Amino acid sequence: ADPAIRLATLFGPGGIGKTRLAVEFAWRLVEPIAFDTEPAGFPHGVYFVPLQAHHSAEQVLWAIANAVEYTFQASSRSPREELFEFFAEKRLLLVMDNFEHVLDTASIIGDLLQAADSVQVLATSREVLGLSAETVYPVGGLPYIPDHAGAQPDAARLFIQCAKQALPSFDLKPEDELSLRRICQQVGGMPLAIRLAASWVTTLSLQEIAEDILCCPEFLAAEMPDVPPRQWSIRALFEPTWTRLSAKERAAFMRLAVFQSGGKREAIQTVTGASLPVLQALVKKAVLSRDPDGRYRVHEMLRQFAEEHLIDAGDADAAREAHAAYYADFMARRTDELKGGERQLIALAEIEADFENVQRAWEWVTDHHQIDDLMRMEWAFSWYLYIR
């Protein structure tokens, strides 16, 4: 609605619902009366430009022209000049889908926005475009924790809706509530993963679905003729992201799998060996996200994908060893602080924020009889549990 925002990018990993959100938003602009919204501010239209099958600047120009039904003229001007002149007096919105496939052509959008003052662009992408005019809107998973009123969260509602499509007689029983919550949590509220999981209600109970997701990530797969093959499985969905990572980014991404609940920058860099530029690249490629409090997280489905590659690479034990060593030191540094003083409450809060990591480290050092690390952690760990 703000003309000053020329380019907005819906940004997030595959399967998170970027395209669905963009299409719904655009449709409400086109049909405001049907949705009881304000009339759109785009008198010359709203156009959808799919970019999945394109790879060059020339193809992107033709895709835009096809979307707005513009026919190039036989003239001495270049197609770019001709198309930009067409847009110069237009007030319209271009919805450009799957921009990650043509990132090296992003300058076309920058030039178009300069040539046409009243054109705006809504892009969907697994990577940020990196243009100065860009406003990034991160798209995360659907909420999966019930609110205070006890209403079903959005992720659960989507699962039930999809389950009824697959099995019209499906009815959520009270004893299945916990399994449904586990399913939605395990997939991090990812809409596509929820849809794939719900397709199994014809064959499995919700408890079985929850157990199979946990032990077999490849379980989330189903052939759907009306959607692209890349969305038939979570593995196929993430492979393009994997191929776009550099060797250093892949190494760091794999080791991120040991952080089930995320971690602070120091922990992430110590365990993964990622430099600051690598960390920034992973954020820009929607592999890693950063909370306002400075905590970095990996979407659970991406984390499981990374864990598969970590195991295949034979680096899983080394990564878990590094993770355990870091959090043993983390607890040792807080031993004196927990005994009293002005940092006691701060230390308790820091342990609480990282308790899942601390607990996994404790399990690793006990299972592997690492007595030195066990002794370094023991006092702070037991005292924290006693207080809390």
Side-chain angles (χ1 to χ4, degrees):
D2 184 356
I5 297 180
R6 307 293 310 286
L7 166 64
T9 302
L10 299 181
F11 167 70
I16 210 69
K18 302 181 296 297
T19 297
R20 180 71 183 86
L21 178 58
V23 169
E24 181 70 10
F25 172 76
W27 186 247
R28 293 186 183 215
L29 293 177
V30 174
E31 298 288 348
I33 297 175
F35 293 98
D36 193 27
T37 58
E38 292 295 323
F42 302 102
H44 297 112
V46 178
Y47 299 92
F48 185 78
V49 186
L51 299 172
Q52 169 71 22
H54 302 301
H55 305 286
S56 67
E58 183 180 7
Q59 290 176 333
V60 171
L61 286 173
W62 279 94
I64 296 172
N66 287 337
V68 300
E69 299 181 347
Y70 176 76
T71 303
F72 288 106
Q73 310 299 315
S75 69
S76 58
R77 294 172 299 166
S78 68
R80 179 186 291 235
E81 292 172 334
E82 203 175 309
L83 191 60
F84 285 8
E85 184 176 323
F86 167 79
F87 281 119
E89 302 301 324
K90 298 292 190 294
R91 176 85 176 98
L92 54 77
L93 174 69
L94 296 176
V95 179
M96 308 199 69
D97 189 43
N98 287 313
F99 212 103
E100 68 273 6
H101 294 280
V102 290
L103 274 178
D104 56 351
T105 70
S107 61
I108 291 177
I109 302 304
D111 293 343
L112 172 60
L113 295 178
Q114 290 185 6
D117 293 339
S118 297
V119 169
Q120 289 171 264
V121 174
L122 175 64
T124 73
S125 181
R126 298 186 190 188
E127 298 185 39
V128 296
L129 277 59
L131 297 175
S132 60
E134 184 178 29
T135 298
V136 178
Y137 186 93
V139 180
L142 296 173
Y144 50 81
I145 300 174
D147 60 22
H148 297 299
Q152 287 284 15
D154 289 347
R157 290 171 53 214
L158 177 61
F159 182 95
I160 294 168
Q161 175 185 315
C162 294
K164 287 183 178 292
Q165 286 180 316
L167 184 67
S169 62
F170 176 82
D171 186 35
L172 183 67
K173 300 178 178 62
E175 60 267 27
D176 288 333
E177 289 277 359
L178 182 58
S179 293
L180 175 57
R181 189 179 304 178
R182 283 180 60 203
I183 292 168
C184 296
Q185 182 175 4
Q186 286 164 358
V187 302
M190 178 178 284
L192 179 61
I194 290 171
R195 184 179 181 183
L196 292 170
S199 69
W200 284 96
V201 297
T202 58
T203 310
L204 303 173
S205 69
L206 265 62
Q207 181 178 347
E208 289 173 318
I209 293 173
E211 290 170 353
D212 284 353
I213 290 174
L214 195 60
C215 71
C216 313
E218 64 273 13
F219 163 78
L220 291 175
E223 291 190 14
M224 295 176 284
D226 60 335
V227 301
R230 70 180 186 278
Q231 295 186 4
W232 287 1
S233 75
I234 293 300
R235 187 191 300 274
L237 187 71
F238 292 152
E239 280 298 340
T241 297
W242 173 257
T243 59
R244 284 196 296 271
L245 298 179
S246 69
K248 289 182 178 180
E249 290 163 1
R250 287 184 183 182
F253 172 51
M254 288 190 293
R255 285 196 158 215
L256 283 168
V258 299
F259 290 91
Q260 284 190 307
S261 59
K264 290 287 191 176
R265 173 185 161 187
E266 180 189 57
I268 296 288
Q269 289 191 277
T270 300
V271 175
T272 67
S275 64
L276 195 55
V278 167
L279 208 61
Q280 184 181 44
L282 293 176
V283 171
K284 287 184 174 182
K285 294 180 180 180
V287 167
L288 194 61
S289 62
R290 185 178 182 275
D291 293 345
D293 64 357
R295 191 173 189 80
Y296 289 90
R297 297 183 186 275
V298 182
H299 189 279
E300 178 56 22
M301 289 286 91
L302 274 169
R303 193 200 65 76
Q304 290 182 22
F305 179 80
E307 190 169 43
E308 289 183 56
H309 281 282
L310 183 68
I311 293 170
D312 290 343
D315 194 33
D317 283 353
R320 291 169 186 145
E321 177 79 28
H323 177 271
Y326 175 84
Y327 282 100
D329 185 60
F330 172 89
M331 294 300 284
R333 294 200 308 265
R334 282 153 184 81
T335 297
D336 289 339
E337 295 172 354
L338 288 176
K339 293 177 180 178
E342 59 183 20
R343 272 196 53 86
Q344 185 183 50
L345 292 178
I346 296 173
L348 286 168
E350 289 171 342
I351 295 172
E352 183 167 359
D354 258 319
F355 184 70
E356 189 169 346
N357 284 315
V358 171
Q359 187 174 7
R360 293 195 76 195
W362 176 267
E363 291 168 355
W364 176 268
V365 299
T366 53
D367 289 347
H368 292 79
H369 308 288
Q370 295 177 348
I371 304 304
D372 289 344
D373 282 339
L374 191 68
M375 296 288 285
R376 294 171 68 215
M377 294 183 74
E378 185 272 333
W379 194 92
F381 189 57
S382 59
W383 188 243
Y384 169 82
L385 292 175
Y386 173 76
I387 293 176
R388 288 294 167 92

